[in-house]
Amino acid sequence: MDHRSGYRIAATASVKSDIVKGCVDDLNGFDATARLHEIRANPLMLNDEPDSPRVLHLSLYCYKSFPARIFHALCLKDGINSSALFFKNNFTNDHLPITDHELELAAELVGKLKPDVILMSIMAPYAVAARQLAKKLRGVTDSVFVVGGKYPTIVPHESLEFADYACKGEGDLTMLRINQRLREGRDLRGIKGLWYKDDQDNVVDMDQDVLYQDMDDIPYPAIDEAQMYFIEKNHLEIVDPEIYDEDVLVMAGRGCVYLCSYCVNSLLIPMNRGNGRFVRLRSPDHVMEELDYRMKKYLDPRTVTFNDEVFGVFDEWVKEFAAAYKERCKLPFECELVPRLIKEHNVVLLADAGMNSLHFGVQSGQDEIRKEVMHRPGNNEELVEKAAMLRKNGIQPQYDIILDNPFDTPESLAVALGLLLDFGTPINLNTYKMQYFPHYPFTNMALEAGHISEEDVSDEKVAESVLYNMVYRPKFPALNRRDYLENCIYLIPWHGPVIRKMIISLQKKHNPLLGFAATLVARIRYWQDFQHVGLVVWARRIILGVRCLLRGDFSMLADRVRNVIKKTRYQQPHTGRLSVR
């Protein structure tokens, strides 16, 4: 435990700089908490009066962005002339670079909207894009730039290199205080949680706001509401692509209970101690209210996915939610939960309500690395037991594992392969590449061990890795045992008998030639599932179509044809779970 906390202390210390402590202005007695509760039932109505304050919420590389959509809804409820621009979308491992024309489209839109404040939600991988976009927009507007999200929460002082203000921590109450300042015609200095630079160029520490506890007061994300704009592939659209999605993405709460070393919560949880409960849930009725709202917006919803980091933990909440969901929503749903928190009596209730799949993180297939390096609970025996319990109750487990972990060895990867084989078939496996986010405990450990350099955690390197290698890419030529065993793990979902025998053989004995063959097959899987190489994709479609014809399964063939035809400009095949929090 001392070893673990030492890395977290080091991470906290590493983000400190020479700063001065700021003083909070009480905004003439304005009570943001009371205001948030007061506007809870307000409609999402645009205030287009000429003297109404104008704000623009800006999301980078995430059309589904919960923060931008929630704050847009919050400002509409608060009587503000609010707009939201979703600049570029998230295509896993295949993000498209920003073009000059897209920057011009954004600049033209900002010139038209004339916002008083531009609020940009940023995660670390998009810090480079944020700087690029902010530079362009500053050339056409004198709007105040405020940045929020995980990146400015961890490094507010670095965010102030390209923004006027940086919101540290959650921004629900901060947003209302900004709105009030705009109504009063005052600047934003002195708002709790909103860091800035003073006239002497000193960074002013404004601390961070409390964690708001009553989640039912927080609006759910806006879907296809007024003044929502989307820029991608050199086009600006005003119709929300979300309405075409078959998967309805929802969050029933906020927060996590664990401090995994590779996760942002390893910093956020210690940062918020004494600041209110970190894990907070909305009432089941409020969740169902959002689902009712979304069902009216979506054209053809097929499934619901709860994107919470820990879902279904508290027994009474699960009991109430399961009953409400079963009565009011007929779509199947899936969720995510840490294996140790999975309880069978809750699984039974959720399965009866419609849950058909549950994601849980294996992350490492070797107990010691999972515990001592990744700071994650659970052992392999427990994971196999939980997977069997889920299957027994009719739930399809989906496993997440992180590859390219520098602390892994051929021996630990052979153990991981054994674990995944023990899960049985069919198996749904999401394979991610380890990322080195600045200041995270895992990154600090890797730096200390010499596995990476300081250059590897620069904003540019983090952006390159996340945008184009978030989901594991099979290594090539992978002639050494460590590399081809990782490729075998990636190949596990292709569970035909020949591939299965090859994987089992390589797990037991080093064979470079057979390992190279496994690598080639892994590359074919990647070309099909992620790079969408036309020859590979269409060859598979033709083979599957012929199989349907030979079996006389014309219904399945029709479904496959419809799925191909329905692809839109904004939709790509499911390529892993995206972070929208």
Side-chain angles (χ1 to χ4, degrees), residues 64 90-93 245-247 249 303 305 307 334-336 357 359 398-400 428-432 471 490 525-526 528-532 540-541 563 567 570-579:
K64 292 181 178 290
N90 184 327
F91 300 130
T92 306
N93 276 27
D245 206 327
E246 294 179 354
D247 184 29
L249 196 65
T303 60
T305 296
N307 200 42
E334 61 182 59
C335 63
E336 179 177 347
S357 179
H359 292 253
Q398 295 199 44
Y399 313 101
D400 295 345
N428 292 326
L429 180 67
N430 298 312
T431 48
Y432 297 96
V471 167
Y490 177 80
R525 182 187 173 225
Y526 185 82
Q528 175 191 293
D529 292 350
F530 293 95
Q531 286 194 319
H532 319 301
R540 180 173 182 270
R541 286 172 177 169
N563 285 337
K567 300 299 180 188
Y570 304 101
Q571 292 174 317
Q572 287 196 350
H574 179 65
T575 56
R577 309 205 72 191
L578 310 180
S579 177

Side-chain angles (χ1 to χ4, degrees), residues 200-217:
Q200 287 72 47
D201 209 35
N202 297 313
V203 174
V204 180
D205 174 2
M206 293 303 298
D207 199 6
Q208 66 184 87
D209 218 326
V210 297
L211 297 173
Y212 195 77
Q213 297 298 307
D214 189 351
M215 289 290 96
D216 286 7
D217 283 345

Side-chain angles (χ1 to χ4, degrees), residues 209-213 268-269 271-280:
D209 218 326
V210 297
L211 297 173
Y212 195 77
Q213 297 298 307
L268 297 184
I269 292 175
M271 189 185 296
N272 281 285
R273 288 202 174 111
N275 205 23
R277 292 193 317 274
F278 194 68
V279 177
R280 293 145 289 156

Side-chain angles (χ1 to χ4, degrees), residues 450-488:
H451 292 306
I452 59 173
S453 67
E454 290 290 347
E455 183 184 359
D456 293 319
V457 297
S458 66
D459 286 346
E460 291 74 17
K461 286 289 186 179
V462 170
E464 180 182 356
S465 181
V466 172
L467 268 61
Y468 305 112
N469 205 357
M470 184 69 180
V471 167
Y472 177 77
R473 290 175 179 262
K475 296 176 180 176
F476 188 85
L479 298 177
N480 68 74
R481 181 166 168 77
R482 186 186 185 282
D483 287 350
Y484 72 63
L485 285 180
E486 285 196 318
N487 290 347
C488 285

Side-chain angles (χ1 to χ4, degrees), residues 312-320 343 345-346 349:
V313 176
F314 303 107
D315 293 357
E316 286 302 315
W317 188 92
V318 169
K319 184 177 180 180
E320 186 180 346
K343 294 176 280 191
H345 60 272
N346 284 339
L349 290 172

